[in-house]
């Protein structure tokens, strides 16, 4: 194992990438993106073995790909909060649920909210808020929730944030379950709207059968978000987050307004979580409270930390592994949580910096390890 | 809003709240001590409690104790269950420390990683009872609610005159038991030599180790003590609720941690205050509004208290207590 890791380190992939000519970088990137779009039709041996629908009990490959990409969006959003700003958010599922519920509450003819709007303004029975309007609603809802949750709690010490956010995730779920006359309670909301598109073969462009179209949509959103997140990471805001993560006191002495930038990170993370939830709810066309259990929050955090917090590609890898592996090994469904727990402990003990940490983060870890060793040697 | 409901049943609700709060407080001790010494939220502590409840069930099953057993059997089984649960919970806590936290401490990993391994350990323990043991031994293990025999039969001992409130033997045992354990622990930490070591490490780990306190041993001691308290809580919980489940730890642990933060994390007396406060608030709020929102009330109280008093009701002071 360690030999493989050493060999991998010897390659110095990151340095080579930075040193390569721009043309090569663009070509490689385009190739990777093209391959990603081709994935639903993957049929070339031996790569086809990664498909999840090889046996009759397997899950639909394109749907799995869609879920992977949605969780990747989540991981990129949570990476801003945990990896860049160093805030532990254990209630991320709350924002994800808010996104899904926003589109369901305003876009579905089945929702009590739309019903109330219909009778209030005398609209017809088929009327609902259009999909395009639901997107800003979802974004604004999760943004507001992020600011409301963050404003009182981000002034507290970091450890308290973990427990308050954990509570927030539960509150959202319990609220969705109990408010029968707003959210239909445990029954959930059906007929969640899909994005508009031309009709093909007598079906909507986005329907429950052709999952690859959903995958392409989510992938496009993901690529856009990765681009924006990269820009953000290298901006003034990104540097401020880094400074806060490293040493908040030192950062504030240098004039970095800690609270303001932490709130920014929280709000941006919340928005991306809501966006991912919106995609998920729209694809399922059905939203119910039990889809947003606390375990999902732990899974999200695990994605970012196992992949290597602070590095977008680490977060993407973590999201891929933790979504793909359980789907690939569906036969062992009862054993999955156990294996997940064991893997979580094992990976973190053997490689606390994550599988592919950012280079800066890896050096920090190396530094801390030396300090710990020296401290131990002194005693 | 139904204030009449609360006023009419105020005595009963208060008793329920104190009972519930006593159990929260005992579990909260584990969180608060570990936090005081290591500045770490031990996420696996909820499962330490859960292991205790299963141990109680195991002892009852092995001894064949049921609700119709004789007096000698009842006392013997309950005492044995208490000792076994304390040992099992303390052992689990120690194992978690060894496996999940010590290797990371050696590497000087940041706090976030400790939380992740804690969550991992918690999942493993939950799944051991929900899946692994079921695979090997079948029921009662598995993902269902399991009955724990009510060995100690609930009897009314006396009635408070005037309000006509019946106090049962199990209530007395739970409340008195919890308070006795807390006083004992508080005395141990404040009066004994080992306790002084715990306070020293909580105050300043580096200076403490210069003064000859073995930091590793203090950390182990803290996990053992916290685990043992969770074991006591587990016995009291099974006496009150007569059941256990593989994932029972999660919500109790969450509440207990909330109680610890409410009272002032790192403060032993704060855990008692926070636990009782939280228990009573939950029961009162459920009586006024709706009991399906119980968990929401708990978190709203937490956020409100943290906003106005960020260090909790009594403040944080495992190390700063009178030396």
């Amino acid at each position: 194992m360690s030999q493989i890791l050493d060999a991998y380190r010897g390659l110095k992939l990151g340095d080579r990438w930075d040193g390569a000519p721009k043309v090569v970088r663009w070509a490689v990137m385009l190739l990777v993106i093209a391959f990603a779009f081709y994935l639903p039709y993957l049929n070339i041996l031996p790569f086809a073995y990664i498909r999840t629908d090889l046996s009759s009990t397997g899950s639909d490959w394109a749907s799995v790909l869609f879920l992977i990409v949605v969780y990747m969006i989540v991981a990129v959003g949570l990476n801003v909060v945990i990896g860049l700003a160093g805030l532990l958010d254990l209630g991320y599922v709350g924002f994800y649920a808010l996104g899904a519920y926003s589109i369901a509450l305003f876009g579905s003819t089945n929702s009590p909210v739309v019903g109330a709007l219909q009778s209030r303004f005398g609209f017809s029975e088929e009327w609902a808020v259009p999909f395009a309007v639901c997107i800003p609603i979802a974004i604004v809802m999760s943004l507001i929730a992020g600011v409301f949750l963050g404003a009182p709690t981000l002034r507290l010490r970091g450890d308290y944030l973990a427990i308050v956010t954990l509570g927030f995730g539960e509150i959202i779920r319990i609220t969705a379950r109990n408010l029968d006359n707003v959210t239909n309670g445990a029954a959930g909301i059906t007929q969640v709207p899909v994005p508009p598109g031309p009709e093909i073969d007598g079906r909507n462009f986005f329907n429950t059968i052709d999952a690859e179209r959903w995958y392409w949509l989510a992938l496009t959103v993901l690529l856009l978000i990765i681009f924006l997140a990269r820009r953000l990471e290298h901006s003034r805001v990104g540097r401020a987050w880094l400074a806060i993560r490293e040493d908040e006191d030192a950062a504030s002495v240098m004039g970095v307004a800690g609270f303001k930038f932490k709130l920014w990170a929280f709000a941006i993370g919340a928005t991306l979580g809501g966006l991912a939830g919106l995609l998920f709810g729209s694809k399922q066309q059905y939203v119910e409270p039990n889809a947003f259990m606390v375990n999902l929050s732990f899974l999200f955090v695990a994605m970012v930390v196992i992949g290597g917090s602070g590095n977008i590609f680490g977060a993407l890898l973590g999201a891929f592994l933790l979504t793909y592996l359980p789907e690939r090994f569906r036969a062992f469904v009862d054993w999955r949580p156990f294996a997940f727990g064991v893997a979580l402990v094992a990976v973190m003990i053997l490689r606390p910096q994550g599988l592919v940490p950012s280079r800066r983060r890896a050096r920090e870890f190396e530094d801390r390890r030396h300090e710990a060793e020296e401290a131990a040697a002194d005693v | 809003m139904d204030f009449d409901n609360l006023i009419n049943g105020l005595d009963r609700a208060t008793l329920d709240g104190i009972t519930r709060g006593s159990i929260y407080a005992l579990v909260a001790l584990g969180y608060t001590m570990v936090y005081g010494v290591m500045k770490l939220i031990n996420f696996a502590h909820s499962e330490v409690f859960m292991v205790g409840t299963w141990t109680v069930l195991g002892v009852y099953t092995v001894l064949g104790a049921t609700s119709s057993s004789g007096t000698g059997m009842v006392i013997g089984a309950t005492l044995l269950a208490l000792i076994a649960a304390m040992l099992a919970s303390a052992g689990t806590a120690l194992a978690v420390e060894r496996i999940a936290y010590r290797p990371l401490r050696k590497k000087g990993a940041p706090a976030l990683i400790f939380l992740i391994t804690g969550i991992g350990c918690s999942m493993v323990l939950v799944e051991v009872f929900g899946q692994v043991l079921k695979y090997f031994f079948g029921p009662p293990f598995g993902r269902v609610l399991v009955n724990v025999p009510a060995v100690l039969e609930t009897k009314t001992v006396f009635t408070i005159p005037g309000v006509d409130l019946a106090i049962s033997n199990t209530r007395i045992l739970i409340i008195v038991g919890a308070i006795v354990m807390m006083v004992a622990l508080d005395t141990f930490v404040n009066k004994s030599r080992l306790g002084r070591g715990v306070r020293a490490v909580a105050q300043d780990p580096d200076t403490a180790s210069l003064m000859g306190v073995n930091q590793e041993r203090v950390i182990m001691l803290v996990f053992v003590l916290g685990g043992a308290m969770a074991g006591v809580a587990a016995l009291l919980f099974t006496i009150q609720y007569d059941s256990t489940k593989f994932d029972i730890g999660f919500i109790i642990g969450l509440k207990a941690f909330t109680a610890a933060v409410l009272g002032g994390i790192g403060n032993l007396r704060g855990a008692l205050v926070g636990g009782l406060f939280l228990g009573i608030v939950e029961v009162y709020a459920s009586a006024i509004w709706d009991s399906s929102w119980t968990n929401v009330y708990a978190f709203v109280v937490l956020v409100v208290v943290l906003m106005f008093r960020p260090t909790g009701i009594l403040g944080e002071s495992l190390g700063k207590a009178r030396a």
Side-chain angles (χ1 to χ4, degrees):
Chain A
M1 183 69 191
S2 68
Q3 280 168 338
I4 301 173
L5 283 177
D6 286 341
Y8 164 78
R9 251 177 241 133
L11 283 175
K12 292 212 180 343
L13 282 177
D15 293 338
R16 277 198 190 183
W17 178 256
D18 288 346
K22 208 167 189 180
V23 191
V24 177
R25 276 192 282 173
W26 273 104
V28 172
M29 250 190 304
L30 284 177
L31 265 177
V32 169
I33 291 171
F35 184 70
F37 273 94
Y38 163 74
L39 268 176
Y41 297 128
L42 187 70
N43 215 358
I44 325 162
L45 289 171
F47 299 112
Y49 280 112
I50 68 167
R51 288 183 73 114
T52 50
D53 51 0
L54 293 175
S55 68
S56 56
T57 53
S59 18
D60 178 42
W61 174 229
S63 295
V64 171
L65 283 174
F66 171 77
L67 195 65
I68 290 175
V69 172
V70 166
Y71 283 173
M72 279 177 169
I73 297 175
V74 169
V76 171
L78 196 55
N79 183 49
V80 171
V81 183
I82 293 182
L84 300 184
L87 307 165
L88 183 57
D89 184 348
L90 287 180
Y92 207 63
V93 74
F95 303 119
Y96 186 66
L98 264 178
Y101 262 100
S102 313
I103 185 161
L105 284 177
F106 291 99
S108 160
T109 48
N110 178 246
S111 120
V113 173
V114 169
L117 288 176
Q118 283 167 352
S119 54
R120 174 77 180 75
F121 297 105
F123 293 126
S124 74
E125 294 264 306
E126 284 90 63
W127 180 88
V129 180
F131 186 86
V133 183
C134 287
I135 298 174
I137 291 180
I139 288 176
V140 167
M141 292 260 282
S142 33
L143 188 73
I144 290 175
V147 172
F148 257 87
L149 181 64
T153 51
L154 286 174
R155 291 183 195 278
L156 302 172
R157 251 210 333 253
D159 311 289
Y160 289 166
L161 188 68
I163 204 77
V164 173
T165 49
L166 191 60
F168 165 76
E170 273 291 272
I171 287 177
I172 295 286
R173 188 178 65 84
I174 295 174
T175 309
R177 194 192 62 201
N178 287 353
L179 281 182
D180 286 323
N181 44 6
V182 181
T183 64
N184 280 354
I189 299 172
T190 54
Q191 295 164 26
V192 178
V194 298
E199 271 193 20
I200 296 177
D201 304 335
R203 292 194 294 261
N204 274 333
F205 188 72
F206 290 102
N207 55 52
T208 42
I209 301 166
D210 302 308
E212 65 271 15
R213 293 173 193 163
W214 286 102
Y215 166 67
W216 290 327
L217 174 71
L219 189 61
T220 313
V221 175
L222 174 70
L223 290 173
L224 198 69
I225 285 173
I226 291 176
F227 173 74
L228 292 176
R230 294 280 291 178
R231 302 310 303 154
L232 203 60
E233 194 182 333
H234 295 120
S235 71
R236 199 173 72 91
V237 182
R239 274 177 279 132
W241 285 336
L242 208 118
I244 292 167
R245 189 186 75 201
E246 298 300 305
D247 188 335
E248 193 171 346
D249 295 335
S252 69
V253 170
M254 291 302 167
V256 177
F259 175 72
K260 188 179 99 185
F261 285 107
K262 283 200 277 187
L263 195 58
W264 264 114
F266 216 68
I268 290 171
T271 312
L272 293 183
L275 202 60
L278 180 142
L279 280 169
F280 174 78
S282 180
K283 155 108 183 356
Q284 299 292 314
Q285 299 183 19
Y286 173 57
V287 173
E288 52 133 1
N290 281 343
F292 307 104
M293 302 290 274
V294 193
N295 299 18
L296 212 51
S297 280
F298 294 153
L299 182 75
F300 293 160
V301 174
M303 285 171 183
V304 174
V305 179
I306 279 192
S309 45
N311 185 3
I312 288 185
F313 296 103
L316 294 180
L317 178 73
F320 172 78
L321 287 178
L322 293 187
T323 324
Y324 169 74
L325 288 178
E327 292 293 344
R328 182 73 180 78
F329 300 102
R330 242 197 137 70
F332 307 98
V333 63
D334 287 339
W335 291 89
R336 285 189 315 197
F338 182 68
F340 179 54
V342 172
L344 210 54
V345 178
V347 171
M348 283 298 104
I349 287 175
L350 295 177
R351 216 171 144 73
Q353 70 272 43
L355 294 175
V356 275
S358 68
R359 270 172 284 172
R360 180 190 291 271
R361 211 66 205 273
R363 276 199 296 266
E364 280 165 30
F365 270 85
E366 197 64 15
D367 223 34
R368 296 178 71 125
R369 201 168 57 83
H370 283 308
E371 270 174 27
E373 274 168 10
E374 277 165 22
D378 286 345
V379 177
Chain B
M1 289 266 212
D2 192 358
F3 283 101
D4 288 344
N5 188 17
L6 175 65
I7 302 298
N8 292 336
L10 190 65
D11 45 355
R12 173 86 196 164
T14 310
L15 184 65
D16 278 344
I18 294 175
T19 314
R20 202 186 276 212
S22 311
I23 294 171
Y24 290 161
L26 276 178
V27 181
L29 286 176
Y31 285 107
T32 219
M33 287 183 70
V34 168
Y35 191 90
V37 168
M38 290 173 71
K39 298 284 171 286
L40 160 77
I41 302 172
N42 177 12
F43 260 96
H45 189 64
S46 48
E47 268 46 69
V48 168
F49 165 82
M50 182 267 301
V51 170
T53 60
W54 284 93
T55 313
V56 172
L57 175 63
V59 169
Y60 287 171
T61 315
V62 169
L63 292 180
T66 58
S67 48
S68 51
S69 303
T71 318
M73 182 65 158
V74 168
I75 295 173
T78 310
L79 274 181
L80 205 61
L82 174 70
I83 295 166
M86 283 172 82
L87 286 177
S89 291
T92 311
L94 202 57
V96 167
E97 198 274 322
R98 269 288 165 92
I99 295 168
Y101 298 142
R102 185 173 294 186
L104 292 179
R105 244 189 354 263
K106 296 260 182 289
K107 287 184 183 176
L112 179 64
I113 311 296
F114 286 83
L115 292 178
I116 300 291
T117 51
I119 290 172
C121 269
S122 161
M123 290 181 110
V124 169
L125 284 167
V126 165
E127 288 301 314
V128 161
F129 285 89
Q131 175 65 24
V132 179
L133 287 173
K134 187 186 92 180
Y135 181 76
F136 289 112
F137 302 107
F141 302 111
R143 296 172 204 273
V144 285
L145 192 73
V146 182
N147 277 323
V148 178
V151 172
L152 192 67
E153 221 178 336
T154 308
K155 280 188 207 122
T156 304
V157 179
F158 62 90
T159 310
I160 296 180
V163 288
D164 207 28
L165 177 66
I167 308 283
S168 65
N169 53 350
T170 52
R171 300 273 188 176
I172 296 177
L173 182 68
I174 290 167
I175 296 168
V176 173
I179 290 174
V180 166
M181 290 315 291
M182 302 202 93
V183 171
L185 185 69
D186 193 66
T187 317
F188 176 78
V189 170
N190 281 320
K191 296 276 154 55
S192 76
R193 196 182 146 78
L194 277 172
R196 202 189 307 152
V198 171
R199 279 178 295 139
V201 174
Q203 215 166 44
D204 187 337
D206 294 337
T207 314
S209 68
L210 286 178
M211 297 296 145
V213 181
N214 186 337
Q215 201 184 333
E216 290 293 310
R217 202 176 288 172
V218 164
I219 288 174
M220 276 164 64
L221 178 72
V222 164
F223 272 87
V224 167
L225 286 177
M229 292 299 139
V232 179
L235 176 74
L236 301 181
F237 179 87
T238 53
I239 287 176
Q240 174 67 18
Y241 298 102
D242 297 332
S243 63
T244 183
K245 202 183 174 195
F246 74 111
D247 63 354
I248 204 166
F250 178 73
I251 210 73
I252 298 271
L254 211 53
K255 298 290 182 57
F257 185 78
T258 307
V261 173
L262 273 179
I265 196 155
N267 184 334
L268 294 179
R269 289 165 201 179
L272 179 65
V273 174
L276 293 180
F277 181 69
L278 186 69
I280 291 175
V281 165
E282 269 187 18
V283 176
Y284 281 6
S286 302
I288 297 172
W289 295 288
D290 182 354
S291 64
S292 58
W293 293 86
T294 310
N295 296 347
V296 175
Y297 308 138
F299 286 116
V300 170
V301 170
L302 176 71
V303 172
V304 170
V305 169
L306 285 182
M307 271 168 76
F308 294 104
R309 199 166 159 74
T311 51
I313 299 170
L314 293 190
E316 310 168 356
S317 70
L318 188 60
K320 292 174 202 104
R322 297 150 307 279

